[in-house]
Amino acid sequence: MKSIFRPDARNEDQSANPSLSLRINIFFFGTFIIFCIIIVRLAIVQFVEGPTLTEVETSRDTKNVPLASIRGSILAKGGEKLAYSTSVQTLYFSLTTDYTETVTDKKTKLTSRSPEATAKANQLAADLAADFAKYGAKVPEDEVITKDAVLKAMDLDSKVYSGFMLRPIKRGLVKEEIAYFMEHKDKYPNLTVSEEDERHYDPDTVAVQTVGYIKTFKKADSLDIYKNILAAMKNDTDPGLSYRSDEFVGFDGLELQYQRELRGRNGYLTVGVNAKNMAEGIEAIVPPVKGNDVWTTIDKNIQLKTEQAILDQIKWVHRNPVQGKVHPDAKTGYAVAMEVDTGNIVAMASMEDYDTNIWTTGTLPTEVYNQIQLNYQNGTVTPISSGRSGHNFDSAVFLGSVIKPLTVLIGLNEGFITTRTTYTDKGSTTFGRAGYETTVRNAGGHAYGFFNSPAEAIEKSSNVFMIDMVGKKLYEKYGSEGVNVWDKYMREFGLGERPGSGLPNEHKGLINYVKEAKSGSAQSALVFASFGQQGRYTALQLAQYASTLANQGVRIKPQLVSKITDQAGNTVKTFGREVLNEVKFDKAYWREVIKGMNTSVTAFEDFPYDFARKTGTSQQQYTVKKSSYLADNGVFIAFAPRENPKLAVAVVIPEGGFGSNSAAPVARKIFDAYDWEYGLDGIPKKSIPPVEDKAKQTAGDGAAVESTH
């Protein structure tokens, strides 16, 4: 057998190898270059562009949508709900790109929603309207949610809400609707049912201006607290602290003061978001945390009796002549009752009041606002938008004679008088330069004659004593600086200082003596200030002043809240007695002044306790047809009992006439109400069994006479 051998075969393979080798080398070299480019690009992405891309991814891929929490309650001292929230379920719509796809007309270049997106939105709106009609509660025809109403609520053009934000379709779902939408999530993947709150206020209108009211967050940005929250939201990464534009927040009173405690903590939905800022589905749900409850010091029974007493007394001065005339221009009244030892406010009434439930819808018709615009704020703490008398007097009036206990204290402390100083009251006195004297008289021109002590001057309410023995002497000792000396004393008793309750819009009062010293003279400022005609203050300031007299110089913070509790009833925070400042005077001075607070008051003739009191009748000028007149404001302060005082009360009735006839009867009813509930002597009178009718007891029927307390 022959073997076949081709000597040129190897040479043929070798001649082909150079071309193949070149191609292989080029391939591997190209691959190497590509991998280098990829590696370099990956390095750039990771180390250079990584942080930026991460930030973009975070901002674009997910958004947190706040879910409002259930607001806590504001409770009276006895646990009655003054402001509270009920749980309601709201149906929300999440806008996605399939509802917003657009097409551009080639001729006009105008962009509009695509037919497919429009059809889908219309179908959803029609289906929802039909479901509401089928499963929802029966409502009047004008309240039926139509297809057009649903389309408007969906906000397809994002005119109201950002693209990824949830759109509220219907609040207050009934249980049948809730069950239906929960069971048909596959049919309605863009819908979410969320729990929310609906705010309510006690229909008895208890201390409404003190409790306050709510507005939506987007309408509350004029307040500093919400300006700060808006600024913080831009930087804070905690979604639970974010506010929704349509959630309700406190706008006045305790609702505003304790906004953070009442609000709780928002929950949120984490939604996927595309490059067009549209939601692409819900990725996570964090439920909200309910707000805490705020327990006030206000006793509902005493508060309601105080409010009614003011209204009754206003009607009384309209019909019954005092000093020969009635007072039809008394339209408003203010009262504060403050416990002397604790500072707790048991009653705070600003009348007339109104029903704060009008604020809970989020919108306030113009005609409704016009009805309340003069009295929707708290007249016991501010004169602004808090009531007007017939001649347009606000709630801060001149003190009148209620200043005289403090005037005497100043005179004693300055050494102008002693507890044994005597004085003959001739009914009038003068001040000013010779030949240009101004004459000032006592009320009614009375000349009270000889006083054995300053206490008698307080009891008789002598203007001329205060002028001669304190006002003029301050000017003689200090000159124009005497106004600052007077002002220092006033502020130590809270007159000219915010009382410290923490309520929004607390007023310092109107310090007229400073203005008078600049425009008139320091002497006239001190003279008129000495008998209560140069400072206008609120009822809360007067109550604190009365309490400071009762505490012999210790000024206590007015306390409106006793504690804050969580939803389980656990106490989160408590509030107690807080001293703001203390005035040091000789004990003998206090005894003298409190002894002098003994003015005769008809309304208290049968009052079972010895108590300290001072009536006031301040005069305020008004103009009619370019002619000026003076109106009398009724003012009254008191504390009881005189020894070991429990309660201090201040009442103001602008244009009510003499304080003894207009303001004092209101104070009497407040003291009686407190005595009934708690006892001015420590024994609540409601706990004492009623006295039995002896005649009926003898007859054997055992009937009891109704208590007259």
Side-chain angles (χ1 to χ4, degrees), residues 658-674:
F658 284 10
S660 58
N661 298 305
S662 59
V666 175
R668 169 62 194 271
K669 292 179 180 178
I670 297 173
F671 279 119
D672 284 347
Y674 186 87

Side-chain angles (χ1 to χ4, degrees), residues 92-164:
Y92 281 97
F93 167 69
S94 178
L95 185 63
T96 52
T97 52
D98 45 350
Y99 290 93
T100 60
E101 290 178 349
T102 59
V103 293
T104 302
D105 188 285
K106 294 181 180 179
K107 294 182 179 180
T108 63
K109 305 299 182 181
L110 295 177
T111 301
S112 60
R113 188 172 294 106
S114 70
E116 294 78 11
T118 300
K120 187 168 185 175
N122 284 332
Q123 186 62 54
L124 176 60
D127 289 346
L128 285 176
D131 289 337
F132 291 147
K134 183 176 181 181
Y135 299 102
K138 299 300 180 183
V139 296
E141 186 174 343
D142 59 345
E143 296 181 16
V144 171
I145 299 180
T146 63
K147 170 187 171 182
D148 289 340
V150 174
L151 283 171
K152 181 179 179 181
M154 289 166 68
D155 189 29
L156 298 172
D157 296 320
S158 297
K159 293 181 178 179
V160 179
Y161 301 95
S162 298
F164 65 88

Side-chain angles (χ1 to χ4, degrees), residues 403-660:
I403 195 62
K404 290 171 181 173
L406 180 50
T407 301
V408 170
L409 275 172
I410 294 171
L412 289 167
N413 196 58
E414 290 290 332
F416 303 150
I417 55 178
T418 71
T419 57
R420 296 182 180 181
T421 294
T422 60
Y423 177 82
T424 300
D425 184 325
K426 298 179 180 179
S428 66
T429 188
T430 61
F431 71 94
R433 289 184 299 163
Y436 297 92
E437 296 94 342
T438 298
T439 300
V440 182
R441 295 180 172 82
N442 291 327
H446 294 296
Y448 294 110
F450 184 75
F451 295 147
N452 278 304
S453 66
E456 290 188 34
I458 297 173
E459 182 174 353
K460 295 297 183 182
S461 202
S462 171
N463 291 342
V464 298
F465 178 93
M466 306 300 155
I467 295 168
D468 285 344
M469 306 308 289
V470 183
K472 290 197 291 188
K473 289 185 180 297
L474 273 171
Y475 182 71
E476 291 170 6
K477 181 176 180 179
Y478 295 105
S480 60
E481 185 61 23
V483 173
N484 293 329
V485 174
W486 177 268
D487 184 61
K488 175 179 177 294
Y489 281 113
M490 294 296 105
R491 292 179 186 276
E492 288 177 332
F493 283 76
L495 303 176
E497 296 286 349
R498 290 187 175 89
S501 70
L503 284 173
N505 304 316
E506 259 193 348
H507 204 261
K508 289 184 176 181
L510 300 169
I511 318 301
N512 298 70
Y513 48 80
V514 174
K515 182 179 179 181
E516 173 67 16
K518 291 180 179 178
S519 61
S521 73
Q523 185 183 35
S524 65
L526 290 168
V527 164
F528 286 105
S530 69
F531 63 99
Q533 291 297 131
Q534 283 290 295
R536 293 168 53 192
Y537 305 103
T538 65
L540 181 58
Q541 288 176 296
L542 296 182
Q544 188 181 55
Y545 162 55
S547 170
T548 306
L549 291 172
N551 279 315
Q552 298 190 14
V554 180
R555 186 164 73 100
I556 305 294
K557 175 182 177 179
Q559 192 60 258
L560 279 154
V561 173
S562 61
K563 64 180 179 179
I564 297 175
T565 59
D566 62 20
Q567 291 299 313
N570 301 310
T571 299
V572 175
K573 187 176 182 180
T574 59
F575 301 85
R577 183 177 190 264
E578 186 176 335
V579 176
L580 299 178
N581 65 272
E582 185 173 357
V583 189
K584 300 287 187 179
F585 288 150
D586 191 296
K587 289 291 184 182
Y589 300 166
W590 292 109
R591 288 194 297 269
E592 183 70 14
V593 166
I594 293 173
K595 176 184 176 183
M597 296 178 67
N598 205 40
T599 310
S600 177
V601 185
T602 302
F604 284 85
E605 283 183 350
D606 60 345
F607 193 55
Y609 300 94
D610 181 25
F611 74 111
R613 66 274 193 184
K614 190 70 196 79
T615 59
T617 306
S618 69
Q619 291 189 318
Q620 197 164 330
Q621 184 173 293
Y622 66 91
T623 303
V624 177
K625 295 181 179 179
K626 298 183 179 181
S627 297
S628 295
Y629 304 89
L630 291 174
D632 294 329
N633 299 313
V635 186
F636 185 79
I637 64 169
F639 58 84
R642 191 186 301 270
E643 299 294 331
N644 301 315
K646 293 290 292 180
L647 190 70
V649 171
V651 180
V652 176
I653 309 290
E655 298 202 66
F658 284 10
S660 58

